[in-house]
Amino acid sequence: MSKRRRFKQTQSLEVRLAAKAEHLREKAKEAPSGTERETLLCKARQFEEGLHMSEWLRTPGLQ
């Protein structure tokens, strides 16, 4: 039986999601127009939606 590898995250989820979204947007700027650029932008939007959802779930009214 193999052991699970565990990682201690040094940054919060929100910081990591925002950084990944920004990285994908920068990569999309460099990509030529077409499906690759649209895929990168779609993934960036998904990360941003995850960021917004995480922030929404952390609001005091929901706790």
Side-chain angles (χ1 to χ4, degrees), residues 22-57:
E22 182 64 29
H23 171 72
L24 287 171
R25 288 206 181 274
E26 289 298 319
K27 200 170 176 184
K29 285 181 184 177
E30 298 169 1
S33 296
T35 57
E36 183 181 356
R37 175 182 270 179
E38 292 302 316
T39 302
L40 291 170
L41 290 173
C42 181
K43 286 182 181 183
R45 282 190 296 271
Q46 287 175 349
F47 278 105
E48 288 171 347
E49 285 299 317
L51 172 63
H52 295 304
M53 191 176 299
S54 177
E55 290 173 348
W56 178 72
L57 289 171

Side-chain angles (χ1 to χ4, degrees), residues 1-29:
M1 176 191 249
S2 63
K3 267 189 137 175
R4 285 179 51 182
R5 296 188 327 168
R6 296 183 185 250
F7 295 97
K8 180 77 173 178
Q9 297 294 338
T10 58
Q11 297 177 328
S12 69
L13 176 63
E14 289 83 10
V15 171
R16 287 182 281 136
L17 288 172
K20 185 67 174 178
E22 182 64 29
H23 171 72
L24 287 171
R25 288 206 181 274
E26 289 298 319
K27 200 170 176 184
K29 285 181 184 177

